[in-house]
Amino acid sequence: LGRAQGFYQRAAEKGHAEAQASLGLLLFQNGNRTAALRWLKPAAESDEPRAQLIYGTALFNGDGVPPDLVRAYALVSRAAAQGLE
């Protein structure tokens, strides 16, 4: 798991949106929400649907970020429009 995180980290630092989302999800699942949201935000802005759903939910709940209901709705809607249930 540590090795996979290292690979994701290197790719995420180079701007790879899927790696940013995967790293963010990995960190989020391991309880490091602050670091997770730092990676999920740019991935969401790059139209990565998994990141849009999680970051949008965090914005809705004010979980680690200031609540922003309008942006939360927009991100979750964009994720759904890309086929994410």
Side-chain angles (χ1 to χ4, degrees), residues 13-80:
E13 288 170 351
K14 293 180 180 182
H16 191 277
E18 289 180 24
Q20 291 170 337
S22 294
L23 178 60
L25 292 170
L26 178 75
L27 293 166
F28 195 88
Q29 290 173 346
N30 288 321
N32 192 347
R33 292 183 178 197
T34 302
L37 293 171
R38 207 171 323 136
W39 288 110
L40 290 169
K41 182 180 180 185
E45 292 169 349
S46 295
D47 288 330
E48 208 291 328
R50 297 172 303 152
Q52 288 174 328
L53 176 62
I54 301 300
Y55 194 72
T57 302
L59 286 169
F60 179 82
N61 294 323
D63 187 17
V65 292
D68 185 340
L69 299 180
V70 173
R71 181 134 169 80
Y73 178 79
L75 287 172
V76 172
S77 295
R78 285 171 39 196

